[in-house]
Structure formats: structure tokens, C-alpha cells
């Protein structure tokens, strides 16, 4: 299937077959991501990494993925160092970066920014997180992690815990898990439940959703527990944040009733929602999940830029 030159703005841009193809290539990329094999398939290509919001994993793993395949990276990680601080529009900035690179990776605080960028660029644009919108490449690596750790996604009971309102990763994830036949349970403080638009979309796909307000009630059936941080920076009112801060925490005690082979995922960074004591348990998969960002992004870049192993 040809994904060459495609924009990746939303997980809805892909059908199941295309996602499966990306995951299959991601598996082949693992030894290259580890540096055990070497490929120069993207030699001479340039990736423009534009990060207008903080990032550790997404920015560095795109950079690492590009470097592992022989591409070069140009990047901006602070608005203050660009002409945007002089008043230049995002559209004009994108027109410039389009001329300087072969693929653009954009993280931006405003929902819809990646779609706008894609409209102004003839080169592929990858949404690396647009405000509280979505984060499709995180979803691809989350799916890859579930597949690698559990052998399949179909039929898995996935509990998604945390700030489901502002957490962009879970918006794309809920839809993609449904596409792959997983069953979803959303656990969140009532003020931070999943946006209706996502719930409706999942239901229109035939997805099964359970809603709970306490993880204790649903943990024993879970195959995957996906935890997210409260997105403090997205609260319009700090007192609203104070009301929900620290409302949930996954520690060893909270996992006592869990299946032995439950996996715990988190897009990271974690603040206090997973106790570090969980790191040493067989449930903890979030650091392997973070590594998976590299092979998955290598696969995506290879497919968008037409590289072959
Ligand atoms: N790193 C993820 C994101 O950019 C999750 C988070 O920040 O909580 O959306």
C-alpha cells in the first residue's frame, strides 16, 4: 500500500490495513532502531522538526529515527527563536520549512494546527500533537506495543485511566483500538471524561465502551491499563486543576487484583500517577513503549518518503 507523501494529521487518515502495514514494517525496523543493523535508505533527505510545545520522546525519537535511516534533521524547539515571535503566521513558517525539508513534523499548542500546516505544505506533514486534539504517531507506537507485548489487540480489555478530556493521546488511541477490536473502559474523574465526539465516533465504529469512576472496580478484567497524566497546561482555570490533581495513582496496592499478565502503559511523562515502585513489576511496559517510538517512526518516515529496506 502506498503511503508516499501522505499527511499524518489524524489516526482517521489510515484504514486498518495501512496501520497493519506500518506495524509490520516497524517490527522489521527494531534491529535498525537498536543500531544492530544499519540502513541509509533516507540518505540525502531532510526532516524539519518543529516543536512549539515541550517534548522529550516525540522530538528525540523522530530525530533518532531519521538519523538511523541516514536522513538529516533541521529543527526548531522554541517559538522565541523563530520569526513567529515577530508575528509571522504558522502558514508562512510552514511554507518556508516546506522549502527546506522533505517532511515536516509539527507539535503545536492549538488543535487543528497540523491540519492547517498540511493545507499549506506539498511535503508530508506529521502531527506530533496538536493541543488537546490528537497524537497519531503516539497511537501507532501504542498499538505496536500492545501487539508486541500481548501478541494481539483484538479482544483485549483496555482500561484507559486519567485525563481523558485534555489528553490527546487517548483520543486517537480509543479510535484505533476500536478499529482493532479491543474493548474499552474509560476511568476518569467526571470532569475529565472522554469528549463526547470521541465517544460517539467509537460507538459509530461499533466499539464497546464502559465508563467507570474508580479503577478498583475494573482492574481485575483488564489486559492493558493505559495511564495518562493530568494535562495541567491545558486547564483554563488553575483552581479547576487543583480540584482534580492527585485524584488517582497506580501503585502496587492498586494492582493487587490485576491479572498477572496485565501490562501498564503510559505515553509519559508521568508525574505522580504511577508510583515508581510499579517500575520493577512485570506489569511495567512504559519504558519499552517509549523505545518503540523509534522503530515505529522509522517505519512511518520510510513509508512517507518512499525508502526501502
Ligand atoms: N507526551 C504526551 C503528549 O505529548 C503525553 C503527555 O504529555 O502527557 O501528549
Amino acid at each position: 500500500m502506498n503511503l508516499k507523501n501522505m499527511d499524518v494529521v489524524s489516526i482517521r487518515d489510515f484504514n486498518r490495513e495501512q496501520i497493519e502495514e506500518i506495524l509490520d514494517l516497524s517490527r522489521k525496523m527494531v534491529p535498525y532502531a537498536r543500531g544492530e543493523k544499519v540502513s541509509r535508505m533516507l540518505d540525502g533527505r531532510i526532516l524539519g522538526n518543529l516543536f512549539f510545545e515541550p517534548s522529550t520522546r516525540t522530538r528525540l525519537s523522530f530525530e533518532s529515527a531519521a538519523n538511523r535511516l541516514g536522513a538529516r534533521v533541521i529543527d526548531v524547539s522554541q517559538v522565541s527563536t523563530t520569526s513567529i515571535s515577530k508575528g509571522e503566521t504558522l502558514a508562512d513558517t510552514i511554507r518556508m520549512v516546506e522549502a527546506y525539508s522533505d517532511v515536516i513534523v509539527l507539535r503545536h499548542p492549538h488543535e487543528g494546527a497540523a491540519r492547517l500546516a498540511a493545507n499549506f505544505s506539498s511535503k508530508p506533514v506529521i502531527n506530533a500533537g496538536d493541543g488537546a486534539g490528537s497524537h497519531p504517531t503516539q497511537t501507532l507506537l501504542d498499538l505496536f506495543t500492545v501487539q508486541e507485548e500481548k501478541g494481539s489487540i483484538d479482544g483485549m480489555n483496555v482500561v484507559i485511566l486519567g485525563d481523558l478530556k485534555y489528553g490527546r493521546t487517548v483520543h486517537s488511541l480509543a479510535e484505533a483500538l476500536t478499529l482493532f477490536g479491543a474493548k474499552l473502559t474509560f476511568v476518569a474523574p467526571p470532569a475529565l471524561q472522554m469528549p463526547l465526539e470521541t465517544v460517539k465516533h467509537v460507538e459509530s465504529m461499533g466499539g464497546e465502551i464502559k465508563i467507570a469512576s474508580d479503577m478498583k472496580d475494573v482492574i481485575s478484567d483488564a489486559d492493558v491499563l493505559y495511564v495518562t497524566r493530568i494535562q495541567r497546561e491545558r486547564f483554563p482555570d488553575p483552581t479547576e486543576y487543583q480540584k482534580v490533581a492527585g485524584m488517582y495513582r497506580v501503585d502496587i496496592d492498586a494492582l493487587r487484583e490485576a491479572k498477572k499478565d496485565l501490562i501498564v502503559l503510559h505515553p509519559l511523562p508521568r508525574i505522580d500517577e504511577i508510583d515508581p515502585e510499579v517500575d520493577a513489576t512485570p506489569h511495567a511496559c512504559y519504558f519499552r513503549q517509549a523505545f518503540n517510538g523509534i522503530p515505529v517512526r522509522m517505519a512511518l518516515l520510510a513509508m512517507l518518503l518512499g525508502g526501502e529496506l
Side-chain angles (χ1 to χ4, degrees):
M1 192 149 317
N2 195 350
L3 301 187
K4 205 167 166 200
N5 280 329
M6 187 178 156
D7 297 309
V8 180
V9 171
S10 159
I11 201 69
R12 294 182 197 173
D13 293 336
F14 297 118
N15 59 35
R16 181 170 170 161
E17 218 182 330
Q18 290 170 320
I19 296 179
E20 275 167 355
E21 202 165 322
I22 298 168
L23 302 187
D24 287 347
L25 184 58
S26 303
R27 202 159 299 116
K28 295 191 187 119
M29 287 293 182
V30 169
Y32 297 89
R34 291 201 183 113
E36 294 159 4
K37 287 186 181 175
V38 175
S39 164
R40 313 298 298 168
M41 68 156 78
L42 298 184
D43 203 12
R45 314 310 289 275
I46 296 177
L47 178 145
N49 233 358
L50 299 185
F51 278 74
F52 299 137
E53 258 198 345
S55 170
T56 301
R57 278 149 291 272
T58 307
R59 187 168 68 85
L60 291 181
S61 66
F62 263 114
E63 189 159 345
S64 180
N67 284 325
R68 289 276 191 214
L69 295 176
R72 314 285 292 257
V73 178
I74 55 173
D75 79 298
V76 166
S77 54
Q78 273 178 332
V79 175
S80 60
T81 63
T82 70
S83 287
I84 290 184
S85 67
K86 300 180 189 169
E88 185 165 61
T89 61
L90 178 64
D92 280 0
T93 305
I94 291 295
R95 285 186 175 107
M96 294 307 105
V97 184
E98 176 201 11
Y100 305 155
S101 57
D102 301 300
V103 55
I104 298 174
V105 177
L106 175 69
R107 169 165 294 184
H108 197 281
H110 295 151
E111 208 171 320
R115 182 68 69 198
L116 180 130
N119 290 341
F120 282 94
S121 171
S122 60
K123 307 275 174 64
V125 170
I126 301 176
N127 179 6
D130 61 333
S134 72
H135 196 347
T137 65
Q138 177 72 44
T139 294
L140 293 172
L141 77 92
D142 295 341
L143 294 177
F144 182 68
T145 305
V146 175
Q147 227 176 39
E148 291 301 283
E149 299 285 336
K150 306 294 292 181
S152 130
I153 302 170
D154 210 348
M156 290 287 138
N157 275 320
V158 182
V159 172
I160 306 185
L161 166 71
D163 179 352
L164 312 186
K165 179 175 179 185
Y166 296 118
R168 56 191 168 204
T169 71
V170 296
H171 301 158
S172 11
L173 181 65
E175 296 181 7
L177 285 170
T178 304
L179 195 63
F180 280 77
K183 295 175 221 148
L184 306 179
T185 303
F186 298 152
V187 184
L192 299 181
Q193 258 300 350
M194 191 63 91
L196 200 59
E197 205 263 330
T198 306
V199 171
K200 283 199 168 144
H201 192 76
V202 166
E203 284 173 349
S204 74
M205 295 167 79
E208 273 180 49
I209 301 178
K210 281 192 215 145
I211 307 272
S213 53
D214 195 335
M215 187 183 74
K216 274 198 210 103
D217 303 333
V218 293
I219 192 68
S220 59
D221 281 339
D223 300 300
V224 178
L225 172 63
Y226 190 98
V227 188
T228 64
R229 129 190 113 84
I230 296 189
Q231 310 279 301
R232 181 182 197 153
E233 67 277 27
R234 310 234 181 270
F235 280 70
D237 178 354
T239 57
E240 290 304 309
Y241 169 75
Q242 289 309 332
K243 285 187 200 155
V244 287
M247 271 184 86
Y248 55 92
R249 184 174 171 85
V250 177
D251 55 18
I252 287 186
D253 198 44
L255 296 177
R256 224 167 274 290
E257 302 291 312
K259 292 183 184 174
K260 268 205 169 65
D261 60 354
L262 165 85
I263 59 167
V264 178
L265 304 182
H266 192 306
L268 303 176
R270 72 168 147 187
I271 310 304
D272 53 9
E273 58 282 350
I274 300 183
D275 193 304
E277 69 185 12
V278 176
D279 300 0
T281 71
H283 300 301
C285 281
Y286 26 91
F287 296 123
R288 289 201 291 280
Q289 178 189 5
F291 165 77
N292 287 339
I294 301 186
V296 169
R297 291 180 171 120
M298 288 169 82
L300 190 64
L301 291 176
M303 292 174 89
L304 298 184
L305 293 174
E308 278 182 25
L309 267 182

